[in-house]
Amino acid sequence: MKHKMFLESKKGFFGESKDGLNAFGGQYMPEILYSALKELEKAYKNILKTRDFKQELSLLYRDFVGRPTPLIYAKNVSKLLHNEIYLKFEGLANTGAHKINNAIGQVLLAKKMGKTRIIAETGAGQHGLATAAACAKLGMECVVFMGARDIKRQFPNVFNMELLGAEVVSVESGSQTLKDAVNEALREWSKESKNTFYVLGSTLGPYPYPDIVREFQSIISKELKAQTKEFFKGNPDIMIACVGGGSNSLGFFSHFLKSQVRLIGVEAGGLGKETGKNAARMSNKNANLCIAQGYKSYFLSDEYGNLLETYSISAGLDYAGIGPQLAHLKEIGRVEFLSALDSEALEALQFFAKHEGILAALESSHALAGALKIAKEVKNKKILVNISGRGDKDIFITAKALQKERWAEFLQQEIQEMQSAESKSTKGSKE
């Protein structure tokens, strides 16, 4: 039996609760935020879809973000894998990832609504960085909530957010990762929503956020429709993207959902299948249907609905839930899921760096690991992979994982040089 596919939500939900299926999404929020969400709904329908807004956003995409991002034919890897491999390089967008597509759109929307202050959550730091850059561009105050654990492993992005004028708030509760940053951002929004706009970074949360974020990120697949014509006629055979909450994957898949293209999402397999060692919700069948953080979807949770701790070497995939539209697409069989271990992501990162001269983010490296797996099963297929971000942000993680001794030696030298310079400066001032 073929089930109806929801390309956008209906009354805030993706899917219908019948024939053993579920309606995912909704707007499960404290009453104090209902007025803010209704205001956002109105802006989504009356501002975001207007010609003037679209034209202004289009100019920002071109002149600030640097779109279109290139589609790269991975010639060397294609020969090695006996398939045609193409890479959509979102890492070349301003701030280094796809996150800027949504951030600049939401900040522009907030400005049109008369808001003056922006808050956001971030995991890997790319959404926070993108939001900080968008706020700097459009003249808005910016506060970013980030888990304390993520702050430690993503220092380059924290440094750059502050350089762009944002205040980065360390979240010390829970596992100190993305889900805790989301919780804290929602608490802040409930305290003050009159002048504050919450820029949510993925296709999740209460309606209308899943639709808003998908709409801004769909610029990726819109460009791909034109770009693939330059390389080959028709559609690719397979498209692969990493999946945390779902913004890069839905942006990548959006204009191909009605096609016959095989769509694959790759989750964080972490260190293995043991509870707390991964963030694989759909691929390992570990998730339960829950209502959390404003929406109904699948989450890694206990029998009482309490979210479990997750783990991934990639901060951007280290999240317990999955966006409602992706949950729906999985349930009706339109998108399939697999997972990649930390070790597999690191191997894929090195493989594509060596053979194609690209440094993918750890999130994107999970997608590349998925491509390596799929390429063993098929031959002579056109495979598109979304490189959602570039890997310079991960230097404190990848260097430690791949060259631990050299990295430790480098850091020690840096500390010694800083101490020596400080000592000379102190001595000189006394003289």
mmCIF file of all heavy atoms in Angstrom, residues 270-313:
data_model
loop_
_atom_site.group_PDB
_atom_site.id
_atom_site.type_symbol
_atom_site.label_atom_id
_atom_site.label_comp_id
_atom_site.label_asym_id
_atom_site.label_seq_id
_atom_site.Cartn_x
_atom_site.Cartn_y
_atom_site.Cartn_z
ATOM 1 N N GLY A 270 28.629 6.462 16.327
ATOM 2 C CA GLY A 270 29.469 6.648 17.506
ATOM 3 C C GLY A 270 30.469 5.530 17.713
ATOM 4 O O GLY A 270 31.215 5.151 16.812
ATOM 5 N N LEU A 271 30.453 4.982 18.920
ATOM 6 C CA LEU A 271 31.391 3.916 19.294
ATOM 7 C C LEU A 271 30.769 2.532 19.178
ATOM 8 O O LEU A 271 31.435 1.526 19.414
ATOM 9 C CB LEU A 271 31.881 4.139 20.729
ATOM 10 C CG LEU A 271 32.630 5.454 20.970
ATOM 11 C CD1 LEU A 271 32.945 5.620 22.450
ATOM 12 C CD2 LEU A 271 33.921 5.504 20.149
ATOM 13 N N GLY A 272 29.483 2.464 18.834
ATOM 14 C CA GLY A 272 28.817 1.174 18.715
ATOM 15 C C GLY A 272 27.364 1.248 19.152
ATOM 16 O O GLY A 272 26.828 2.322 19.429
ATOM 17 N N LYS A 273 26.714 0.110 19.230
ATOM 18 C CA LYS A 273 25.269 0.050 19.466
ATOM 19 C C LYS A 273 24.857 0.194 20.926
ATOM 20 O O LYS A 273 23.680 0.335 21.230
ATOM 21 C CB LYS A 273 24.719 -1.269 18.918
ATOM 22 C CG LYS A 273 24.814 -1.370 17.396
ATOM 23 C CD LYS A 273 24.171 -2.641 16.884
ATOM 24 C CE LYS A 273 24.233 -2.705 15.365
ATOM 25 N NZ LYS A 273 23.582 -3.925 14.837
ATOM 26 N N GLU A 274 25.813 0.159 21.837
ATOM 27 C CA GLU A 274 25.488 0.273 23.259
ATOM 28 C C GLU A 274 24.818 1.618 23.564
ATOM 29 O O GLU A 274 25.187 2.656 23.017
ATOM 30 C CB GLU A 274 26.773 0.132 24.083
ATOM 31 C CG GLU A 274 26.547 0.116 25.583
ATOM 32 C CD GLU A 274 27.854 0.008 26.351
ATOM 33 O OE1 GLU A 274 28.877 -0.364 25.741
ATOM 34 O OE2 GLU A 274 27.853 0.303 27.553
ATOM 35 N N THR A 275 23.809 1.591 24.432
ATOM 36 C CA THR A 275 23.086 2.799 24.808
ATOM 37 C C THR A 275 24.039 3.865 25.341
ATOM 38 O O THR A 275 24.898 3.590 26.172
ATOM 39 C CB THR A 275 22.032 2.483 25.888
ATOM 40 O OG1 THR A 275 21.108 1.536 25.363
ATOM 41 C CG2 THR A 275 21.273 3.744 26.291
ATOM 42 N N GLY A 276 23.893 5.088 24.822
ATOM 43 C CA GLY A 276 24.746 6.186 25.245
ATOM 44 C C GLY A 276 26.029 6.315 24.453
ATOM 45 O O GLY A 276 26.778 7.275 24.640
ATOM 46 N N LYS A 277 26.263 5.373 23.544
ATOM 47 C CA LYS A 277 27.502 5.373 22.760
ATOM 48 C C LYS A 277 27.294 5.828 21.322
ATOM 49 O O LYS A 277 28.232 5.810 20.522
ATOM 50 C CB LYS A 277 28.124 3.969 22.760
ATOM 51 C CG LYS A 277 28.521 3.447 24.133
ATOM 52 C CD LYS A 277 29.644 4.251 24.751
ATOM 53 C CE LYS A 277 30.107 3.643 26.071
ATOM 54 N NZ LYS A 277 31.180 4.448 26.699
ATOM 55 N N ASN A 278 26.059 6.218 20.962
ATOM 56 C CA ASN A 278 25.772 6.617 19.590
ATOM 57 C C ASN A 278 24.619 7.618 19.568
ATOM 58 O O ASN A 278 24.053 7.952 20.602
ATOM 59 C CB ASN A 278 25.454 5.395 18.732
ATOM 60 C CG ASN A 278 24.185 4.697 19.208
ATOM 61 O OD1 ASN A 278 23.073 5.163 18.964
ATOM 62 N ND2 ASN A 278 24.339 3.576 19.905
ATOM 63 N N ALA A 279 24.280 8.070 18.372
ATOM 64 C CA ALA A 279 23.109 8.934 18.186
ATOM 65 C C ALA A 279 22.304 8.415 16.994
ATOM 66 O O ALA A 279 21.779 9.185 16.191
ATOM 67 C CB ALA A 279 23.537 10.377 17.968
ATOM 68 N N ALA A 280 22.224 7.078 16.888
ATOM 69 C CA ALA A 280 21.495 6.433 15.789
ATOM 70 C C ALA A 280 20.075 6.132 16.231
ATOM 71 O O ALA A 280 19.852 5.246 17.051
ATOM 72 C CB ALA A 280 22.210 5.154 15.369
ATOM 73 N N ARG A 281 19.131 6.885 15.681
ATOM 74 C CA ARG A 281 17.732 6.717 16.083
ATOM 75 C C ARG A 281 16.983 5.802 15.141
ATOM 76 O O ARG A 281 16.271 4.899 15.552
ATOM 77 C CB ARG A 281 17.035 8.090 16.113
ATOM 78 C CG ARG A 281 17.587 9.012 17.164
ATOM 79 C CD ARG A 281 18.360 10.214 16.703
ATOM 80 N NE ARG A 281 18.886 10.246 15.380
ATOM 81 C CZ ARG A 281 19.157 11.360 14.728
ATOM 82 N NH1 ARG A 281 18.892 12.516 15.299
ATOM 83 N NH2 ARG A 281 19.689 11.344 13.528
ATOM 84 N N MET A 282 17.137 6.019 13.840
ATOM 85 C CA MET A 282 16.339 5.310 12.851
ATOM 86 C C MET A 282 17.026 4.058 12.318
ATOM 87 O O MET A 282 16.380 3.063 12.034
ATOM 88 C CB MET A 282 16.022 6.240 11.669
ATOM 89 C CG MET A 282 15.543 7.629 12.071
ATOM 90 S SD MET A 282 14.098 7.617 13.143
ATOM 91 C CE MET A 282 12.832 7.179 11.972
ATOM 92 N N SER A 283 18.340 4.096 12.177
ATOM 93 C CA SER A 283 19.056 2.994 11.539
ATOM 94 C C SER A 283 19.192 1.774 12.444
ATOM 95 O O SER A 283 19.247 0.647 11.968
ATOM 96 C CB SER A 283 20.439 3.466 11.088
ATOM 97 O OG SER A 283 21.132 4.097 12.151
ATOM 98 N N ASN A 284 19.276 1.979 13.760
ATOM 99 C CA ASN A 284 19.439 0.853 14.677
ATOM 100 C C ASN A 284 18.165 0.495 15.439
ATOM 101 O O ASN A 284 18.169 -0.335 16.331
ATOM 102 C CB ASN A 284 20.554 1.159 15.690
ATOM 103 C CG ASN A 284 21.916 1.183 15.031
ATOM 104 O OD1 ASN A 284 22.084 0.672 13.936
ATOM 105 N ND2 ASN A 284 22.879 1.800 15.686
ATOM 106 N N LYS A 285 17.064 1.176 15.084
ATOM 107 C CA LYS A 285 15.765 0.917 15.707
ATOM 108 C C LYS A 285 15.819 1.047 17.230
ATOM 109 O O LYS A 285 15.210 0.282 17.968
ATOM 110 C CB LYS A 285 15.246 -0.471 15.311
ATOM 111 C CG LYS A 285 15.015 -0.622 13.813
ATOM 112 C CD LYS A 285 14.490 -2.011 13.464
ATOM 113 C CE LYS A 285 14.263 -2.130 11.967
ATOM 114 N NZ LYS A 285 13.782 -3.477 11.586
ATOM 115 N N ASN A 286 16.550 2.053 17.675
ATOM 116 C CA ASN A 286 16.709 2.270 19.118
ATOM 117 C C ASN A 286 15.734 3.315 19.661
ATOM 118 O O ASN A 286 15.621 3.492 20.869
ATOM 119 C CB ASN A 286 18.136 2.750 19.420
ATOM 120 C CG ASN A 286 19.158 1.649 19.215
ATOM 121 O OD1 ASN A 286 18.845 0.481 19.354
ATOM 122 N ND2 ASN A 286 20.374 2.020 18.868
ATOM 123 N N ALA A 287 15.056 4.012 18.756
ATOM 124 C CA ALA A 287 14.276 5.165 19.185
ATOM 125 C C ALA A 287 12.836 4.812 19.542
ATOM 126 O O ALA A 287 12.276 3.826 19.064
ATOM 127 C CB ALA A 287 14.290 6.230 18.095
ATOM 128 N N ASN A 288 12.250 5.659 20.379
ATOM 129 C CA ASN A 288 10.843 5.537 20.756
ATOM 130 C C ASN A 288 10.087 6.773 20.319
ATOM 131 O O ASN A 288 10.655 7.863 20.220
ATOM 132 C CB ASN A 288 10.721 5.393 22.282
ATOM 133 C CG ASN A 288 11.399 4.136 22.799
ATOM 134 O OD1 ASN A 288 11.155 3.040 22.323
ATOM 135 N ND2 ASN A 288 12.292 4.308 23.773
ATOM 136 N N LEU A 289 8.782 6.598 20.080
ATOM 137 C CA LEU A 289 7.937 7.729 19.722
ATOM 138 C C LEU A 289 7.669 8.556 20.977
ATOM 139 O O LEU A 289 7.141 8.053 21.964
ATOM 140 C CB LEU A 289 6.626 7.227 19.127
ATOM 141 C CG LEU A 289 5.744 8.251 18.412
ATOM 142 C CD1 LEU A 289 6.486 8.849 17.221
ATOM 143 C CD2 LEU A 289 4.447 7.593 17.953
ATOM 144 N N CYS A 290 8.073 9.818 20.938
ATOM 145 C CA CYS A 290 7.961 10.688 22.123
ATOM 146 C C CYS A 290 7.546 12.092 21.713
ATOM 147 O O CYS A 290 7.597 12.455 20.538
ATOM 148 C CB CYS A 290 9.305 10.794 22.848
ATOM 149 S SG CYS A 290 9.982 9.276 23.495
ATOM 150 N N ILE A 291 7.155 12.856 22.705
ATOM 151 C CA ILE A 291 6.965 14.296 22.534
ATOM 152 C C ILE A 291 8.013 14.991 23.386
ATOM 153 O O ILE A 291 8.064 14.809 24.603
ATOM 154 C CB ILE A 291 5.557 14.742 22.959
ATOM 155 C CG1 ILE A 291 4.508 14.140 22.012
ATOM 156 C CG2 ILE A 291 5.455 16.265 22.962
ATOM 157 C CD1 ILE A 291 3.091 14.380 22.450
ATOM 158 N N ALA A 292 8.883 15.745 22.739
ATOM 159 C CA ALA A 292 9.957 16.442 23.457
ATOM 160 C C ALA A 292 10.341 17.693 22.678
ATOM 161 O O ALA A 292 10.212 17.745 21.456
ATOM 162 C CB ALA A 292 11.170 15.528 23.632
ATOM 163 N N GLN A 293 10.780 18.701 23.387
ATOM 164 C CA GLN A 293 11.267 19.945 22.789
ATOM 165 C C GLN A 293 10.307 20.521 21.753
ATOM 166 O O GLN A 293 10.704 21.065 20.735
ATOM 167 C CB GLN A 293 12.664 19.723 22.208
ATOM 168 C CG GLN A 293 13.664 19.339 23.307
ATOM 169 C CD GLN A 293 15.083 19.212 22.849
ATOM 170 O OE1 GLN A 293 15.345 18.868 21.699
ATOM 171 N NE2 GLN A 293 16.026 19.479 23.739
ATOM 172 N N GLY A 294 9.021 20.344 22.029
ATOM 173 C CA GLY A 294 7.994 21.000 21.237
ATOM 174 C C GLY A 294 7.401 20.219 20.093
ATOM 175 O O GLY A 294 6.514 20.716 19.394
ATOM 176 N N TYR A 295 7.836 18.979 19.853
ATOM 177 C CA TYR A 295 7.322 18.230 18.708
ATOM 178 C C TYR A 295 7.302 16.725 18.987
ATOM 179 O O TYR A 295 7.978 16.224 19.885
ATOM 180 C CB TYR A 295 8.160 18.515 17.459
ATOM 181 C CG TYR A 295 9.590 17.994 17.512
ATOM 182 C CD1 TYR A 295 9.972 16.886 16.761
ATOM 183 C CD2 TYR A 295 10.569 18.622 18.280
ATOM 184 C CE1 TYR A 295 11.273 16.411 16.790
ATOM 185 C CE2 TYR A 295 11.870 18.161 18.307
ATOM 186 C CZ TYR A 295 12.222 17.051 17.567
ATOM 187 O OH TYR A 295 13.511 16.590 17.604
ATOM 188 N N LYS A 296 6.521 16.032 18.182
ATOM 189 C CA LYS A 296 6.390 14.579 18.287
ATOM 190 C C LYS A 296 7.213 13.911 17.197
ATOM 191 O O LYS A 296 7.066 14.213 16.012
ATOM 192 C CB LYS A 296 4.921 14.175 18.134
ATOM 193 C CG LYS A 296 4.657 12.679 18.230
ATOM 194 C CD LYS A 296 3.166 12.402 18.029
ATOM 195 C CE LYS A 296 2.847 10.917 18.113
ATOM 196 N NZ LYS A 296 1.404 10.656 17.871
ATOM 197 N N SER A 297 8.103 13.008 17.625
ATOM 198 C CA SER A 297 8.949 12.306 16.663
ATOM 199 C C SER A 297 9.586 11.114 17.359
ATOM 200 O O SER A 297 9.176 10.719 18.451
ATOM 201 C CB SER A 297 10.018 13.245 16.103
ATOM 202 O OG SER A 297 10.742 12.624 15.056
ATOM 203 N N TYR A 298 10.597 10.557 16.732
ATOM 204 C CA TYR A 298 11.365 9.476 17.354
ATOM 205 C C TYR A 298 12.560 10.061 18.099
ATOM 206 O O TYR A 298 13.292 10.901 17.571
ATOM 207 C CB TYR A 298 11.839 8.478 16.301
ATOM 208 C CG TYR A 298 10.741 7.583 15.794
ATOM 209 C CD1 TYR A 298 10.237 7.718 14.508
ATOM 210 C CD2 TYR A 298 10.189 6.602 16.620
ATOM 211 C CE1 TYR A 298 9.212 6.904 14.041
ATOM 212 C CE2 TYR A 298 9.169 5.775 16.161
ATOM 213 C CZ TYR A 298 8.682 5.936 14.884
ATOM 214 O OH TYR A 298 7.667 5.127 14.435
ATOM 215 N N PHE A 299 12.734 9.595 19.322
ATOM 216 C CA PHE A 299 13.843 10.036 20.165
ATOM 217 C C PHE A 299 14.495 8.824 20.827
ATOM 218 O O PHE A 299 13.823 7.820 21.110
ATOM 219 C CB PHE A 299 13.347 10.960 21.291
ATOM 220 C CG PHE A 299 12.843 12.298 20.836
ATOM 221 C CD1 PHE A 299 11.540 12.446 20.387
ATOM 222 C CD2 PHE A 299 13.671 13.415 20.867
ATOM 223 C CE1 PHE A 299 11.064 13.682 19.982
ATOM 224 C CE2 PHE A 299 13.195 14.657 20.457
ATOM 225 C CZ PHE A 299 11.897 14.787 20.013
ATOM 226 N N LEU A 300 15.771 8.936 21.098
ATOM 227 C CA LEU A 300 16.433 7.953 21.957
ATOM 228 C C LEU A 300 16.002 8.278 23.381
ATOM 229 O O LEU A 300 16.364 9.321 23.925
ATOM 230 C CB LEU A 300 17.952 8.057 21.805
ATOM 231 C CG LEU A 300 18.514 7.629 20.447
ATOM 232 C CD1 LEU A 300 20.000 7.944 20.347
ATOM 233 C CD2 LEU A 300 18.273 6.143 20.205
ATOM 234 N N SER A 301 15.207 7.404 23.949
ATOM 235 C CA SER A 301 14.623 7.684 25.258
ATOM 236 C C SER A 301 14.430 6.395 26.041
ATOM 237 O O SER A 301 14.484 5.285 25.489
ATOM 238 C CB SER A 301 13.264 8.375 25.093
ATOM 239 O OG SER A 301 12.318 7.474 24.540
ATOM 240 N N ASP A 302 14.162 6.556 27.354
ATOM 241 C CA ASP A 302 13.832 5.387 28.157
ATOM 242 C C ASP A 302 12.326 5.129 28.050
ATOM 243 O O ASP A 302 11.607 5.821 27.322
ATOM 244 C CB ASP A 302 14.273 5.576 29.616
ATOM 245 C CG ASP A 302 13.577 6.754 30.307
ATOM 246 O OD1 ASP A 302 12.500 7.189 29.847
ATOM 247 O OD2 ASP A 302 14.120 7.254 31.317
ATOM 248 N N GLU A 303 11.843 4.137 28.789
ATOM 249 C CA GLU A 303 10.430 3.753 28.684
ATOM 250 C C GLU A 303 9.487 4.830 29.177
ATOM 251 O O GLU A 303 8.288 4.818 28.872
ATOM 252 C CB GLU A 303 10.193 2.463 29.477
ATOM 253 C CG GLU A 303 10.557 2.579 30.958
ATOM 254 C CD GLU A 303 10.396 1.258 31.687
ATOM 255 O OE1 GLU A 303 9.354 0.605 31.514
ATOM 256 O OE2 GLU A 303 11.336 0.878 32.422
ATOM 257 N N TYR A 304 10.001 5.809 29.939
ATOM 258 C CA TYR A 304 9.167 6.881 30.463
ATOM 259 C C TYR A 304 9.238 8.150 29.607
ATOM 260 O O TYR A 304 8.648 9.180 29.956
ATOM 261 C CB TYR A 304 9.586 7.218 31.897
ATOM 262 C CG TYR A 304 9.533 6.023 32.817
ATOM 263 C CD1 TYR A 304 10.708 5.402 33.252
ATOM 264 C CD2 TYR A 304 8.312 5.490 33.233
ATOM 265 C CE1 TYR A 304 10.664 4.294 34.084
ATOM 266 C CE2 TYR A 304 8.256 4.380 34.064
ATOM 267 C CZ TYR A 304 9.433 3.784 34.482
ATOM 268 O OH TYR A 304 9.384 2.688 35.298
ATOM 269 N N GLY A 305 9.973 8.091 28.509
ATOM 270 C CA GLY A 305 10.075 9.240 27.621
ATOM 271 C C GLY A 305 11.189 10.204 27.952
ATOM 272 O O GLY A 305 11.304 11.259 27.318
ATOM 273 N N ASN A 306 12.026 9.868 28.915
ATOM 274 C CA ASN A 306 13.179 10.720 29.247
ATOM 275 C C ASN A 306 14.275 10.517 28.206
ATOM 276 O O ASN A 306 14.641 9.375 27.911
ATOM 277 C CB ASN A 306 13.717 10.372 30.634
ATOM 278 C CG ASN A 306 12.697 10.594 31.727
ATOM 279 O OD1 ASN A 306 12.117 11.660 31.828
ATOM 280 N ND2 ASN A 306 12.455 9.570 32.550
ATOM 281 N N LEU A 307 14.781 11.611 27.663
ATOM 282 C CA LEU A 307 15.797 11.497 26.626
ATOM 283 C C LEU A 307 17.090 10.936 27.187
ATOM 284 O O LEU A 307 17.536 11.316 28.265
ATOM 285 C CB LEU A 307 16.057 12.864 25.981
ATOM 286 C CG LEU A 307 14.862 13.555 25.321
ATOM 287 C CD1 LEU A 307 15.347 14.768 24.526
ATOM 288 C CD2 LEU A 307 14.090 12.612 24.420
ATOM 289 N N LEU A 308 17.681 10.016 26.433
ATOM 290 C CA LEU A 308 18.929 9.381 26.847
ATOM 291 C C LEU A 308 20.122 10.204 26.385
ATOM 292 O O LEU A 308 20.026 11.002 25.452
ATOM 293 C CB LEU A 308 19.017 7.968 26.254
ATOM 294 C CG LEU A 308 17.927 6.979 26.656
ATOM 295 C CD1 LEU A 308 18.071 5.692 25.856
ATOM 296 C CD2 LEU A 308 17.991 6.689 28.155
ATOM 297 N N GLU A 309 21.246 9.992 27.013
ATOM 298 C CA GLU A 309 22.474 10.631 26.561
ATOM 299 C C GLU A 309 22.905 10.003 25.239
ATOM 300 O O GLU A 309 22.703 8.817 24.989
ATOM 301 C CB GLU A 309 23.582 10.486 27.602
ATOM 302 C CG GLU A 309 23.381 11.363 28.828
ATOM 303 C CD GLU A 309 24.646 11.509 29.653
ATOM 304 O OE1 GLU A 309 25.731 11.167 29.150
ATOM 305 O OE2 GLU A 309 24.537 11.983 30.793
ATOM 306 N N THR A 310 23.471 10.817 24.388
ATOM 307 C CA THR A 310 23.960 10.341 23.097
ATOM 308 C C THR A 310 25.454 10.630 22.992
ATOM 309 O O THR A 310 26.014 11.370 23.797
ATOM 310 C CB THR A 310 23.231 11.046 21.943
ATOM 311 O OG1 THR A 310 23.394 12.466 22.087
ATOM 312 C CG2 THR A 310 21.750 10.700 21.956
ATOM 313 N N TYR A 311 26.073 10.047 21.974
ATOM 314 C CA TYR A 311 27.501 10.313 21.758
ATOM 315 C C TYR A 311 27.805 10.251 20.264
ATOM 316 O O TYR A 311 27.315 9.389 19.536
ATOM 317 C CB TYR A 311 28.396 9.305 22.475
ATOM 318 C CG TYR A 311 29.809 9.385 21.942
ATOM 319 C CD1 TYR A 311 30.666 10.397 22.356
ATOM 320 C CD2 TYR A 311 30.237 8.520 20.929
ATOM 321 C CE1 TYR A 311 31.925 10.535 21.798
ATOM 322 C CE2 TYR A 311 31.500 8.654 20.364
ATOM 323 C CZ TYR A 311 32.336 9.657 20.808
ATOM 324 O OH TYR A 311 33.567 9.815 20.243
ATOM 325 N N SER A 312 28.639 11.170 19.826
ATOM 326 C CA SER A 312 29.231 11.119 18.495
ATOM 327 C C SER A 312 30.492 11.958 18.509
ATOM 328 O O SER A 312 30.568 12.963 19.221
ATOM 329 C CB SER A 312 28.273 11.660 17.438
ATOM 330 O OG SER A 312 28.935 11.781 16.179
ATOM 331 N N ILE A 313 31.478 11.555 17.744
ATOM 332 C CA ILE A 313 32.669 12.380 17.577
ATOM 333 C C ILE A 313 32.292 13.704 16.925
ATOM 334 O O ILE A 313 32.990 14.699 17.063
ATOM 335 C CB ILE A 313 33.734 11.634 16.726
ATOM 336 C CG1 ILE A 313 35.094 12.347 16.837
ATOM 337 C CG2 ILE A 313 33.288 11.474 15.278
ATOM 338 C CD1 ILE A 313 36.234 11.578 16.195
#
